[in-house]
Amino acid sequence: MEPIYSGVINFARGVFAVQGLKFERTGSENLPRTGGAVIAMNHIGYFDFSYAGYSALDVGRLVRFMAKKDVFDHKISGPLMRGMKHIPVDRAAGAGAYRAAVDALRGGELIGVFPETTISRSFELRDFKSGAVRMAQEAGVPVIPLIIWGSQRVWTKDLPRQMRRPKVPIRLDVGTPIDIAADADVDAETAALRARMETMLHAVQDSYETLTGDDLKYLPARLGGTAPTLEEANALDAKEAQEKAAKRAANG
């Protein structure tokens, strides 16, 4: 274990215990005990990266997550993120992060990636970027799908945080590794990865505890919840992106 990463893990475990979170993990044995791999995860809450690391701990591994550069610029989180050897992503110039991730994969690291790039307001899978597959292909390592469910009930976009005692189950399901051939079509493999993860997500959702009443806001419209549909969520995402671009332009 690395001192900074170990300290963060121990602190997080204490917080999760106080919150009463109940972690249910399946498929952790699909993560390699040695060697590199890309872990492709769905994204439904702000703490997904911290919860997803639990599955890797089951096999004695640490995950290096690719995260927005803004997190590394923060005076508190920045030193911790760098100390844990996570990889900053500048969306305006992502080539450096991609190169760093490929090098880390070749060095035997597990690299955590959110192919959707941002939190899904609908709690369904958004469109996937191809980076996860491209990195795995170039580094010669597998892609391993990981589904998380329940984290949206702690803190997600557009909804109040439930940080004190949410006492909710957090489900983590790791799928079998997917090998990407050197001559494989990246777009086709990305579509196949998304389809595989969608099947896994639906299975986890179907086996999760029943949500009713006010908790329906954490459930996809497809399942009778009050979350935005994927189309409505995409429209909200587009509006948010336009507002951010206008703000950046106004700030010079």
Side-chain angles (χ1 to χ4, degrees):
M1 272 292 184
E2 301 168 13
I4 294 177
Y5 215 141
S6 296
V8 171
I9 288 171
N10 290 334
F11 175 79
R13 279 176 160 170
V15 171
F16 299 158
V18 170
Q19 291 178 308
L21 301 181
K22 295 168 281 187
F23 290 91
E24 303 171 21
R25 304 188 294 283
T26 54
S28 297
E29 67 278 2
N30 290 317
L31 292 167
R33 292 185 176 273
T34 60
V38 175
I39 302 177
M41 300 165 286
N42 66 315
H43 203 3
I44 54 174
Y46 287 108
F47 291 121
D48 288 344
F49 69 96
S50 58
Y51 301 150
Y54 254 116
S55 294
L57 288 177
D58 288 340
V59 294
R61 301 294 302 273
L62 298 174
V63 182
R64 316 299 178 182
F65 290 96
M66 300 186 75
K68 290 188 294 186
K69 181 178 177 292
D70 296 355
V71 181
F72 291 79
D73 293 337
H74 192 274
K75 63 181 181 181
I76 296 176
S77 62
L80 293 175
M81 294 294 282
R82 287 188 290 273
M84 290 184 282
K85 302 178 185 178
H86 296 313
I87 300 172
V89 179
D90 183 347
R91 291 181 179 174
Y98 176 88
R99 192 78 263 144
V102 170
D103 289 344
L105 288 166
R106 287 173 172 162
E109 298 282 8
L110 299 179
I111 300 296
V113 178
F114 296 108
E116 299 168 277
T117 72
T118 192
I119 290 172
S120 170
R121 288 179 158 100
S122 69
F123 309 129
E124 305 279 17
L125 292 184
R126 302 172 76 249
D127 289 339
F128 276 21
K129 300 295 184 182
S130 62
V133 169
R134 286 192 293 113
M135 286 189 296
Q137 185 180 58
E138 185 169 344
V141 301
V143 177
I144 301 177
L146 188 156
I147 291 298
I148 184 167
W149 187 248
S151 63
Q152 76 277 22
R153 299 173 68 184
V154 181
W155 189 18
T156 191
K157 277 188 176 181
D158 304 331
L159 295 176
R161 287 175 286 184
Q162 305 294 331
M163 300 293 290
R164 292 188 178 180
R165 289 286 290 169
K167 296 193 290 186
V168 299
I170 306 291
R171 285 286 308 277
L172 298 164
D173 183 40
V174 182
T176 54
I178 302 169
D179 292 320
I180 310 296
D183 60 349
D185 181 274
V186 169
D187 291 337
E189 292 290 343
T190 299
L193 172 64
R194 186 186 182 281
R196 170 89 167 275
M197 290 180 63
E198 186 171 65
T199 297
M200 292 172 61
L201 175 62
H202 290 180
V204 170
Q205 289 170 336
D206 290 345
S207 64
Y208 193 79
E209 68 178 25
T210 302
L211 300 182
T212 59
D214 189 52
D215 281 342
L216 288 175
K217 62 179 177 284
Y218 300 119
L219 199 63
R222 172 180 55 83
L223 295 177
T226 58
T229 64
L230 186 57
E231 293 74 17
E232 291 168 341
N234 286 339
L236 290 170
D237 292 339
K239 181 181 178 182
E240 182 182 55
Q242 290 173 352
E243 291 172 350
K244 287 182 178 179
K247 186 176 181 180
R248 286 195 298 269
N251 292 334

